[in-house]
């Protein structure tokens, strides 16, 4: 469980998150949505301790985030950033192997157990057929799965994803979100992700957090949060809302900018 | 372990050892190869003193200097995430040069401890560059910018000294361009142990250099303290560069170009890249030093000049071939 109380974060003295409180339950899929620059990524990074707050605190299973060392945190929490870099000639397997680093000391050799975890991560992300390939030769969708496999090697209870579907075509978006849902269902990993597509958020998450100007304006199930008023408040657009005939989740049709 | 890459390292190491010995027979006096071993028996022979007292120490110095400058370059390119980084970017070269000029031109009475002062000049400049650029941690771009600024300030000092002491500048020109001329076992001994320690540390810390190829956020989220990694690798790199500079002066280009050539040949995994750059750097400086002392009879050309003339086109060739 993650509990955030009165969180305040500044970037160069400009407030990005202003007095934010939040509770995220275990084993949920939570999507954070909101307009550009509303502080979604900042919130995600602060949960991963990549950014330190000015005031307020974040509790992870009851203990303050500040009491975790970088290493101990990386064993329970993994984050997939929006932009990732890697050497041109690294192979999929080499990259995935880095995910075991939190469980190792510098000069420690990888044990049989480590290799088992690596195979397990490769299996669950469905990349066994490309594990010997170079990362630079993969498609965007394959590459995202590889990065997720690296995160899985950390054996996290919580997986944070910052716009994981950006730059992917609709087929690969669907494939990735399905994979994420599978990881949540089968492995019980709590998922917190920033998404831009409201309809995908509605379909794939148990919970939606709507953010605007560094504050939360709605925090509930997709059915309760996705309303005409909230969408207008967030994005300044008029919309029509109906049901997705297949998944039965809410579906937003944007109509026009509000006047 | 990748057998193919391991083989490349072993073969290049053999070439290096062979060249170090073989090139000791070449020079103003050429000595038949079979005398390499036979001269060992008669220690009073001319061949013995030419090979074992003059050329071999110089060759070994060339090898360890080439090794340390190349490894220093690899480490700094990893730390800065910038392919244009070389030991010079940290201010080591300009700090060492300025100190060298001050001692040789203005305070000749301190010449006996020239090496130590030059080492300190380079090292302290680097500490200043890192201190200026520290702000909640090391940011590569700030180090590079601070390095450029400090380099240009010290560069002004260097020019000023050269003008004030223009009558004496001729004598320090060779040192400024880096030279291995007249180096004996004493020079090798004075730096050997530190260089070996530095090189071993570099190999041991190669996993750290690999981790730095990921984005800063990824490194942190994998549980590493990125500032500590950067500090450790920078320290090794700067020590290697400033120690060699203190003995042989400024030899540019090698720290920049050897890591790139090595990357084209053996890939970017530092587990292989660091040992291979080390060996290639040794071969390259040994080769260029041999050319610089043999190409024109009775004249020693600064090895740095030869390095740029040969290394530059070779690097461009590899670059074209790869793409």
């Amino acid at each position: 469980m993650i509990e955030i109380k009165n969180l305040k974060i500044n970037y160069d003295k400009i407030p990005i998150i202003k007095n934010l409180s939040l509770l995220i339950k275990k084993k949920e899929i939570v999507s954070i949505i909101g307009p550009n620059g509303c502080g979604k990524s900042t919130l995600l990074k602060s949960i991963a301790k990549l950014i330190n707050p000015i005031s307020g605190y974040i509790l992870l299973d009851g203990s303050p985030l500040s009491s975790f060392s970088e290493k101990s945190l990386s064993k329970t929490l993994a984050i997939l950033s929006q932009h990732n870099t890697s050497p041109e000639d690294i192979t999929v397997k080499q990259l995935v192997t880095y995910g075991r680093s939190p469980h190792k000391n510098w000069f420690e050799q990888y044990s049989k157990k480590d290799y088992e975890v690596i195979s397990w991560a490769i299996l669950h992300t469905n990349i066994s057929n490309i594990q010997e390939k170079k990362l630079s030769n993969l498609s965007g969708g394959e590459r995202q799965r590889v990065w997720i496999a690296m995160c899985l090697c950390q054996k996290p209870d919580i997986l944070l994803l910052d716009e994981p579907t950006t730059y992917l075509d609709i087929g690969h978006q669907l494939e990735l979100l399905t994979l994420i849902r599978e990881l949540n269902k089968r492995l019980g990993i709590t998922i917190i992700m920033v998404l831009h597509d409201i309809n995908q958020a509605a379909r794939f998450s148990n919970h939606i957090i709507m953010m605007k100007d560094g504050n939360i304006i709605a925090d509930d199930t997709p059915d309760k949060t996705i309303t005409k008023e909230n969408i207008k408040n967030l994005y300044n657009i008029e919309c029509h809302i109906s049901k997705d005939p297949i998944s039965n989740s809410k579906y937003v049709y944007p109509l026009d900018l509000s006047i | 372990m990748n057998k193919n890459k391991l083989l490349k390292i072993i073969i290049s190491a053999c070439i290096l050892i062979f060249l170090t010995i073989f090139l000791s027979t070449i020079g103003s006096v050429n000595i038949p190869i079979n005398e390499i071993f036979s001269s060992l028996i008669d220690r009073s022979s001319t061949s013995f003193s030419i090979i074992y007292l003059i050329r071999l120490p110089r060759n070994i110095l060339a090898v360890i200097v080439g090794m340390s400058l190349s490894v220093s370059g690899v480490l700094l390119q990893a730390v800065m995430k910038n392919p244009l980084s070389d030991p010079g970017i940290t201010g080591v070269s300009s700090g060492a040069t300025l100190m060298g000029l001050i001692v040789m031109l203005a305070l000749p009475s301190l010449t006996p401890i020239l090496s130590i002062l030059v080492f300190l000049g380079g090292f302290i400049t680097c500490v200043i560059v890192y201190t200026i650029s520290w702000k909640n941690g090391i940011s590569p771009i700030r180090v590079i910018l601070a390095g450029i600024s400090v380099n240009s300030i010290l560069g002004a000092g260097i020019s000023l000294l050269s003008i004030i002491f223009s009558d004496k500048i001729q004598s320090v020109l060779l040192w400024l361009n880096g030279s291995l001329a007249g180096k004996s076992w004493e020079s090798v001994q004075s730096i050997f142990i530190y260089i070996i320690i530095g090189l071993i540390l570099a190999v041991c810390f190669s996993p750290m250099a690999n981790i730095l190829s990921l984005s800063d956020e990824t490194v942190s989220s994998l549980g590493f303290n990125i500032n500590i990694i950067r500090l450790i690798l920078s320290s090794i790199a700067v020590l290697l560069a400033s120690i060699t500079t203190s003995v042989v002066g400024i030899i540019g280009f090698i720290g920049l170009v050897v890591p790139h050539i090595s990357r084209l040949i053996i890939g970017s995994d530092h587990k292989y890249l660091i040992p291979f750059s080390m060996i290639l750097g040794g071969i390259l400086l040994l080769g260029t030093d041999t050319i610089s002392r043999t190409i024109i009879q009775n004249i020693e050309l600064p090895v740095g000049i030869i390095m740029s003339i040969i290394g530059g086109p070779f690097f461009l060739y590899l670059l074209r071939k790869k793409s």
Side-chain angles (χ1 to χ4, degrees):
Chain A
M1 194 174 72
I2 298 170
E3 197 184 341
I4 300 175
K5 260 273 184 310
N6 306 114
L7 194 72
K8 267 186 200 151
I9 296 175
N10 288 2
Y11 260 146
D12 285 334
K13 293 182 182 159
I14 300 159
I16 303 294
I17 289 185
K18 312 153 186 168
N19 203 18
L20 181 149
S21 298
L22 176 66
L23 201 74
I24 294 171
K25 285 190 214 137
K26 268 190 179 169
K27 303 193 178 178
E28 286 213 314
I29 299 182
V30 181
S31 292
I32 307 172
I33 62 172
N36 294 332
C38 69
K40 307 178 295 276
S41 295
T42 306
L43 176 62
L44 208 64
K45 284 176 190 169
S46 66
I47 297 173
K49 213 185 162 189
L50 294 174
I51 300 177
N52 291 320
I54 301 279
S55 64
Y57 57 85
I58 300 174
L59 298 179
L60 196 64
D61 292 329
S63 334
L65 205 57
S66 51
S67 71
F68 285 85
S69 70
E70 277 135 335
K71 195 141 191 155
S72 61
L73 184 68
S74 63
K75 289 177 197 172
T76 56
L77 186 146
I79 180 167
L80 176 58
S81 304
Q82 201 178 341
H83 303 287
N84 294 294
T85 55
S86 68
E88 255 182 42
D89 58 346
I90 195 168
T91 67
V92 168
K93 201 165 181 184
Q94 275 175 317
L95 185 72
V96 175
T97 307
Y98 286 149
R100 283 311 285 167
S101 317
H103 300 266
K104 302 265 103 182
N105 291 321
W106 270 114
F107 302 104
E108 207 179 332
Q109 289 291 315
Y110 279 51
S111 66
K112 202 175 154 219
K113 198 202 155 206
D114 293 312
Y115 287 111
E116 278 168 17
V117 175
I118 293 163
S119 310
W120 165 87
I122 286 174
L123 189 76
H124 275 281
T125 45
N126 199 17
I127 53 171
S128 352
N129 53 332
I130 52 168
Q131 56 178 310
E132 300 301 334
K133 280 197 185 175
K134 285 182 183 169
L135 201 71
S136 49
N137 295 339
L138 302 184
S139 72
E142 289 172 322
R143 222 173 289 172
Q144 277 306 59
R145 293 212 304 270
V146 173
W147 287 105
I148 289 179
M150 187 186 93
C151 290
L152 279 188
C153 275
Q154 297 175 236
K155 279 280 193 171
D157 304 318
I158 302 160
L159 180 58
L160 310 179
L161 304 150
D162 195 354
E163 297 187 28
T165 52
T166 310
Y167 310 123
L168 301 185
D169 62 61
I170 191 155
H172 284 113
Q173 288 187 10
L174 205 61
E175 181 190 58
L176 193 81
L177 288 168
T178 312
L179 169 72
I180 290 167
R181 184 161 64 188
E182 281 297 298
L183 295 176
N184 169 265
K185 261 192 199 159
R186 274 201 274 169
L187 308 172
I189 298 174
T190 311
I191 307 277
I192 306 169
M193 58 184 165
V194 171
L195 284 184
H196 267 306
D197 190 315
I198 310 166
N199 297 324
Q200 286 176 348
R203 182 169 157 191
F204 286 94
S205 22
N206 317 109
H207 212 98
I208 286 182
I209 295 167
M210 290 179 163
M211 278 184 77
K212 191 188 177 184
D213 297 331
N215 290 310
I216 291 176
I217 61 156
D219 166 22
D220 213 320
T221 59
D223 280 347
K224 286 185 184 152
T225 47
I226 296 177
T227 61
K228 278 184 188 177
E229 295 71 37
N230 281 343
I231 299 296
K232 185 176 175 181
N233 187 358
L234 278 187
Y235 301 104
N236 204 28
I237 56 169
E238 301 294 339
C239 67
H240 172 74
I241 294 175
S242 76
K243 288 261 177 189
D244 178 330
I246 312 294
S247 66
N248 216 24
S249 57
K250 281 202 171 177
Y251 204 93
V252 176
Y253 298 89
L255 299 175
D256 209 346
L257 286 176
S258 303
I259 305 148
Chain B
M1 272 291 166
N2 185 319
K3 276 184 189 155
N4 186 12
K5 290 179 179 177
L6 209 59
L7 197 68
K8 281 181 184 168
I9 291 175
I10 292 169
I11 291 174
S12 54
C14 294
I15 295 175
L16 176 63
I17 294 167
F18 169 75
L19 283 180
T20 310
I21 300 167
F22 172 68
L23 290 179
S24 302
T25 63
I26 293 176
S28 49
V29 181
N30 286 319
I31 296 163
I33 296 173
N34 54 20
E35 280 190 31
I36 289 175
F37 298 106
S38 60
S39 66
L40 262 180
I41 301 159
D42 180 12
R43 300 209 163 195
S44 60
S45 68
T46 343
S47 313
F48 177 82
S49 55
I50 290 177
I51 293 179
Y52 291 96
L53 298 182
I54 298 175
R55 289 187 192 153
L56 197 60
R58 178 174 176 162
N59 283 355
I60 289 176
L61 191 69
V63 169
I64 60 175
V65 166
M67 284 180 159
S68 29
L69 289 175
S70 309
V71 170
S72 179
V74 175
L75 293 177
L76 287 171
Q77 285 172 13
V79 169
M80 305 298 168
K81 295 189 179 177
N82 188 316
L84 292 178
S85 303
D86 74 341
I89 206 80
T90 57
V92 173
S93 313
S94 55
T97 308
L98 185 62
M99 187 60 96
L101 287 190
I102 290 174
V103 173
M104 284 189 273
L105 297 175
L107 304 164
S109 58
L110 294 175
T111 309
I113 51 166
L114 177 69
S115 295
I116 297 167
L117 290 174
V118 167
F119 166 76
L120 285 177
F123 190 73
I124 291 169
T125 311
C126 169
V127 171
I128 292 172
V129 167
Y130 271 77
T131 314
I132 293 172
S133 52
W134 183 279
K135 188 181 163 194
N136 307 317
I138 301 171
S139 135
I141 191 73
R142 272 202 303 270
V143 175
I144 291 171
L145 290 176
I148 291 172
S149 313
V150 170
N151 277 338
S152 81
I153 296 167
L154 297 188
I158 292 166
S159 304
L160 196 67
L161 276 178
S162 320
I163 293 168
I164 295 173
F165 295 93
S166 55
D167 50 329
K168 290 198 242 168
I169 194 74
Q170 196 66 29
S171 59
V172 295
L173 213 54
L174 198 61
W175 183 83
L176 266 183
N177 281 305
S179 170
L180 294 145
K183 299 296 178 203
S184 61
W185 284 115
E186 214 170 63
S187 310
V188 177
Q189 267 171 3
S190 66
I191 60 170
F192 190 76
I193 185 77
Y194 306 106
I195 299 284
I196 294 298
I197 292 173
L199 293 177
I200 291 174
L201 284 177
V203 172
C204 292
F205 286 109
S206 59
M208 278 193 183
N210 274 341
I211 287 291
L212 281 188
S213 62
L214 305 174
S215 72
D216 288 11
E217 282 183 358
T218 314
V219 176
S220 303
S221 68
L222 286 172
F224 297 110
N225 186 326
I226 192 158
N227 286 323
I228 290 181
I229 296 182
R230 287 209 165 108
L231 269 186
I232 291 176
L233 295 183
S234 303
S235 310
I236 300 173
V238 166
L239 278 174
L240 284 171
S242 47
I243 290 170
T244 52
T245 308
S246 72
V247 175
V248 300
I250 312 295
I251 301 177
F253 201 60
I254 187 166
L256 173 70
V257 82
V258 168
H260 284 285
I261 297 175
S262 306
R263 230 174 260 126
L264 291 174
I265 298 175
I266 207 158
S268 64
D269 184 347
H270 288 80
K271 207 164 67 183
Y272 305 104
L273 180 61
I274 289 179
F276 191 77
S277 299
M278 200 185 284
I279 296 164
L280 191 69
I283 294 176
L284 197 64
L285 193 60
L286 176 63
T288 44
D289 182 53
T290 307
I291 293 171
S292 72
R293 71 184 164 84
T294 53
I295 193 163
I296 305 177
Q297 275 218 322
N298 302 326
I299 295 182
E300 285 264 359
L301 293 175
V303 67
I305 294 176
I306 304 291
M307 175 69 71
S308 302
I309 293 174
I310 298 174
F314 180 57
F315 181 51
L316 289 175
Y317 160 73
L318 278 177
L319 211 60
R320 290 286 304 176
K321 199 178 136 211
K322 189 80 177 176
S323 54

